[in-house]
Amino acid sequence: MISFNKPTMRLLNSSTAVAIGGGLRLHIAFLLAGLAARIPEYCACALIIYATYTLDRTLDCKEDAINKSELCGANTRIGIIACIVAFLAGSCIFITDGIYLAPFFPFIVGYVYTRGIRIGPYEFRLKGGCGMKNLIIGITWGGSIALVVGHWCTSIMTIWIIFLFFVLKLFTTSCVNDLKDVKGDLVAGIRTIPVMLGEKLTKKVLILVLLIMYGVTISAIFAGEIRNEWIILLFSLALTICFLIVYSPAFEDSPHLLLRKMREIVLSWEYAIALALRACIAV
């Protein structure tokens, strides 16, 4: 008999906010490229992200026993079924519109990351390097967004700017998530940027990356390569930098709800808030 216990329900819901944020991220990319909104594609993107992250949380790994202890005891069969259904649904939407590579791109990058690349007698392995996991996350989803946008956008430079923007944005986001997981990563021997650099230096590096990323993006606006979306870009930059300045991993265990949820609100709902602000100002 299939059991929907509390850990299983937490597992099924653990990637919902990330998935919705991913769909909104694609919408931001469409805005930057000056493309008309395509809600089915946003839903497909959210479904693919949900499937990928839920599968990752379904499969047991050493650090998750500490970092995500609330998922211990979840029914993995239910989790895997949910992942398959979400992935197939998202893939069907993309393929119907003639987008064939984007649904499978995360798995292709994941395979290369895990298994490496062999060219003749030489083998290149990406897994294990400090910050490499974060860069791969950025390339995975930044590349997927660029592939979808590139299906309708004819400007190669616009696609490259959008790709770079989301690669660095997601690199930053994943590093912030690593800040709260230092204890489990240390136990598992995973050399993340916060593990190697410490909290304070990691924050300084991430702020520098953000300033470079937004500097390039704003330059692209002046050059006419992407659309002027000042409200979204400036709000996103200010929110993320303020968050990095005040955030501490200790917030995750705070008795205050706002502090406990601060990371999730900023990282998962940033673009929802930015779009709402854009809509209010446009009225």
Side-chain angles (χ1 to χ4, degrees):
M1 181 178 179
I2 296 178
S3 174
F4 284 90
N5 55 18
K6 187 175 290 186
T8 301
M9 297 305 296
R10 287 174 177 165
L11 172 64
L12 294 176
N13 191 48
S14 62
S15 303
T16 302
V18 175
I20 293 172
L24 294 176
R25 195 179 298 123
L26 182 58
H27 179 50
I28 299 296
F30 271 55
L31 290 176
L32 292 174
L35 299 173
R38 300 188 69 92
I39 294 177
E41 278 68 24
Y42 305 160
C43 293
C45 181
L47 287 166
I48 298 294
I49 292 173
Y50 175 86
T52 305
Y53 278 89
T54 302
L55 180 63
D56 178 65
R57 289 164 180 168
T58 300
L59 302 176
D60 294 331
C61 58
K62 190 175 181 180
E63 67 271 20
D64 284 351
I66 297 173
N67 294 337
K68 300 181 180 72
S69 57
E70 71 276 7
L71 301 182
C72 291
N75 189 317
T76 57
R77 184 168 59 175
I78 294 176
I80 291 172
I81 291 172
C83 294
I84 293 172
V85 171
F87 175 76
L88 290 176
S91 297
C92 286
I93 295 172
F94 276 137
I95 291 172
T96 299
D97 276 335
I99 304 172
Y100 302 106
L101 182 56
F104 305 98
F105 186 73
F107 298 96
I108 295 171
V109 175
Y111 178 84
V112 173
Y113 171 69
T114 304
R115 302 298 296 272
I117 304 173
R118 180 176 292 276
I119 303 176
Y122 302 101
E123 183 178 7
F124 302 93
R125 291 186 63 83
L126 301 177
K127 191 172 185 178
C130 178
M132 188 56 68
K133 180 194 75 171
N134 310 102
L135 183 60
I136 292 301
I137 289 173
I139 292 173
T140 297
W141 301 118
S144 298
I145 289 171
L147 286 170
V148 177
V149 170
H151 186 70
W152 287 281
C153 180
T154 57
S155 171
I156 299 298
M157 184 58 67
T158 299
I159 296 169
W160 273 108
I161 293 295
I162 289 172
F163 170 72
L164 179 64
F165 178 86
F166 286 107
V167 166
L168 295 180
K169 181 68 174 177
L170 287 157
F171 173 89
T172 304
T173 299
S174 63
C175 285
V176 171
N177 285 326
D178 286 341
L179 282 171
K180 71 176 181 61
D181 291 337
V182 168
K183 186 183 296 185
D185 291 337
L186 280 170
V187 171
I190 299 176
R191 297 165 57 244
T192 63
I193 290 178
V195 168
M196 301 301 293
L197 301 183
E199 180 182 336
K200 290 184 179 180
L201 185 54
T202 296
K203 288 183 176 183
K204 291 178 182 178
V205 170
L206 295 182
I207 290 174
L208 178 61
V209 170
L210 285 171
L211 292 175
I212 293 172
M213 176 188 77
Y214 280 92
V216 171
T217 306
I218 290 171
S219 298
I221 291 176
F222 284 116
E225 297 295 344
I226 59 174
R227 184 177 170 181
N228 179 353
E229 290 293 343
W230 290 104
I231 296 171
I232 292 173
L233 292 174
L234 292 179
F235 173 81
S236 175
L237 176 61
L239 178 67
T240 308
I241 288 181
C242 290
F243 168 73
L244 284 171
I245 291 172
V246 304
Y247 174 75
S248 168
F251 288 1
E252 303 295 330
D253 299 316
S254 172
H256 301 289
L257 179 63
L258 182 60
L259 292 180
R260 285 202 312 274
K261 296 295 183 180
M262 179 185 290
R263 178 183 53 81
E264 180 180 335
I265 292 171
V266 172
L267 299 187
S268 297
W269 299 105
E270 168 190 353
Y271 288 133
I273 300 170
L275 287 168
L277 180 62
R278 177 181 183 270
C280 290
I281 294 176
V283 172

